[in-house]
Each structure stands twice: as structure tokens, then as C-alpha cells.
Amino acid sequence: MSLSIRPLRGAFAGEVSGVDITAPLDGADVAAIEAGMDAYAVLVFHDQRLTDEQQIAFTLNFGELESYKTPGHIRKGEDQRLGPGIADFSNLDRHGQIMSVEDRVWFFKLGDRLWHSDSSFRPAPAKYSLLSGRVIPSWGANTEFADMRGAYDALDARTRAEVASLICEHSLIYSRETIGFVDLTAEEIAAFAPVRHPLVRRHPVTGRPSLFLSAHAGAIVGWTVPEARIFLRDLTEHATQRELVYSHAWKPGDLVMWDNRATMHRARRFDYREVRDVRRTTLAGTPPIPGT
Ligand code: MN
């Protein structure tokens, strides 16, 4: 059976069948998946019971793993449950127990429920993220994706002209501040210093412009903070209207990969007393290409 992709939401999000991603892929399948990513920006694979090693091996077909000296989270190295190369997006502590909802690591994780683009707080934000569903709660816990190419295309002419030259500042401090988590150490604040990115970016392969929004964006260069925050909030509301959103209802064994250069996403609520074990591999990106 050969690889095929069924559209899930018009030109946004596709469901891939006819491929076993737990095994090494041939070049034609890798090329088909890359072309699918450029077309749909989000791809869903079902019934892929990946080990961490298999997930990393599949990910490496599409680039290099993201790796940084400063982490994108506040969990200390010795508290990690998983090995190198794979990030823990579960609600489990390093002993495999459900973490306390009063744990500051949990507070920090709740920031992922705001619309964002992975690693937008880094000078070279992530290319693809790949999330593997291992244990899924009985209710909720969807991941939602918004098409930022469609969001750009749907702007009115005046707003499109206005955003074209704007530069935003992104930091984990801004997204955590939005949910009232301001209890960061001096060391964390230093590690999360803001970086600047264009508000409109051009996709390096397709050339399509998209809005580069994220909960991490908390300032616009040359604007007052309140003016910037309210404008970014308006743009985010525009970009996440339901016509532009695919909501993924997880089943164990699903793998969803998305292109952070063309999408935003957010996690949805679930019962914190149930286990959610999802694991992410992330591909290194390059600094965004500004302009339309
Ligand atoms: Mn994320």
C-alpha cells in the first residue's frame, strides 16, 4: 500500500495512510511527507506505536533535532523522565507519578494552552514539531491547530499593509505572565530574554507569507506595550477563527507533526487526575524570513 494523504480541513491538515513510520522510510515516502507538510502544514498519522528511539529516527528524516544550552522549560535536568532528544509533554514527574497541580512545573505547562508557535522565543524558532500520543485521557486534551497562512490571506488590505513591517518581541516570560505565572527566578528571567521576529514571515520552501503570532509575543518594536498587546490579541482572535482551525482528538498511537513556520497550536483542557503521556521531538529551524 502506498502513502496517501486525505485532506482534513480543506487545504489545511492532512491524514496520512499507507506508511509505517516505526520502520525506516524510503526516500520517496520522505519526499511525499515533506511535500504534504508544505501543502497542509499539519499531518496526522494513526496507529503508530513508536518507541522514543523510533520517534527520534523518524524525525531525523526531516532535519536536525533542536538543541539549546538554555531550556524552553523550567524543569531541572535531574527531574527529567525521558532521555535526550525527546521532550516530555506529559503531566508525570520523573517517577512516572501524576504531578501536583500546585507544582510550578505544572503552572509552567499550563502556558501551552495559549495559542503559540513552538520556540518562537528563540532566535531560530522550531521547524517541525512531532507529538506522539502514548497515553490519552478519557476526556478533552485535544490539540488545536490554526493556519497562519490562511490568517494572513484573510486580513483586510489595511491591516495587511500595517503588519508587513512590524517586529515583535517574543519571550516565555510574556506567555507565562498571561496566565499569572510570574514566579520566575532571576536565572529563568535571564534565560528567557526576549528575541525579535517579523510579524509576517515567508515560508522558506513555499514562499507563502504567514502571520507569525504566538503567546510568547508580548511587544512590538516602537509601540507601547498596551497598544501592542491589544493588537496582538486582536490578530490572534482573527487567526484562530474556527474556519482556520483543525482540532485533533487524540487516540493512542497517533503522531501529529506540524510546521511551526505556518501554524499556531494550543493544548486543551483535560482531567489532571488522569495520565496524559505525549512526547515531542522538535526539528531545528532557521531565523524567520521577513516579508510578504
Ligand atoms: Mn507547543
Side-chain angles (χ1 to χ4, degrees):
M1 190 174 156
S2 64
L3 189 151
S4 66
I5 303 177
R6 180 176 76 89
L8 291 170
R9 199 77 178 80
F12 183 56
E15 183 184 69
V16 184
S17 56
V19 64
D20 173 7
I21 65 170
T22 68
L25 298 189
D26 64 35
D29 282 348
V30 172
I33 292 168
E34 270 181 335
M37 286 297 286
D38 290 336
Y40 295 101
V42 180
L43 290 179
V44 175
F45 301 76
H46 297 296
D47 304 314
Q48 309 285 344
R49 304 281 173 166
L50 292 157
T51 65
D52 292 353
E53 293 70 26
Q54 289 166 343
Q55 184 174 342
I56 291 168
F58 174 68
T59 303
L60 289 172
N61 285 303
F62 308 102
E64 291 176 20
L65 295 181
E66 190 180 57
S67 97
Y68 285 96
K69 287 196 195 73
T70 55
H73 54 80
I74 59 168
R75 205 186 313 223
K76 298 273 188 293
E78 64 271 20
D79 291 338
Q80 301 296 325
R81 184 172 65 99
L82 308 179
I86 192 150
D88 190 357
F89 280 79
S90 75
N91 58 336
L92 302 173
D93 65 22
R94 68 188 167 104
H95 306 295
Q97 302 297 310
I98 293 175
M99 67 177 64
S100 163
V101 287
E102 293 179 25
D103 191 324
R104 65 196 295 279
V105 171
W106 177 249
F107 294 162
F108 196 83
K109 281 174 174 286
L110 289 172
D112 292 337
R113 299 199 190 170
L114 300 169
W115 286 105
H116 65 283
S117 179
D118 286 334
S119 300
S120 79
F121 51 85
R122 300 195 187 282
K127 180 186 178 188
Y128 299 164
S129 295
L130 298 88
L131 196 60
S132 161
R134 309 294 175 88
V135 180
I136 304 301
S138 61
W139 174 86
N142 280 21
T143 304
E144 295 185 337
F145 298 91
D147 184 357
M148 304 308 286
R149 310 162 304 180
Y152 175 80
D153 293 343
L155 290 172
D156 66 84
R158 181 184 169 132
T159 309
R160 201 181 298 166
E162 190 174 20
V163 295
S165 57
L166 296 178
I167 306 291
C168 295
E169 291 190 350
H170 295 241
S171 166
L172 278 163
I173 297 168
Y174 297 138
S175 49
R176 272 53 196 174
E177 185 185 292
T178 299
I179 59 164
F181 180 51
V182 291
D183 169 33
L184 294 168
T185 64
E187 186 187 357
E188 286 161 353
I189 290 167
F192 301 153
V195 300
R196 291 181 171 189
H197 293 305
L199 182 50
V200 180
R201 70 187 298 185
R202 175 185 283 281
H203 193 280
V205 180
T206 67
R208 280 191 73 178
S210 66
L211 274 180
F212 188 23
L213 291 168
S214 184
H216 309 307
I220 297 174
V221 175
W223 288 39
T224 65
V225 169
E227 195 85 39
R229 294 280 173 101
I230 210 72
F231 186 47
L232 292 170
R233 187 182 282 238
D234 277 354
L235 288 173
T236 299
E237 193 174 309
H238 160 82
T240 58
Q241 54 189 296
R242 298 318 288 182
E243 301 77 61
L244 297 171
V245 170
Y246 164 67
S247 183
H248 184 69
W250 288 91
K251 288 192 286 290
D254 284 352
L255 179 113
V256 182
M257 63 192 286
W258 63 91
D259 188 341
N260 289 292
R261 303 169 301 183
T263 60
M264 278 205 293
H265 61 281
R266 65 172 175 178
R268 300 296 276 158
R269 230 170 136 242
F270 62 96
D271 185 337
Y272 65 80
R273 293 164 298 188
E274 293 187 29
V275 174
R276 178 183 188 238
D277 187 352
V278 295
R279 305 181 186 197
R280 195 182 86 192
T281 40
T282 315
L283 286 173
T286 48
I289 303 165
T292 58

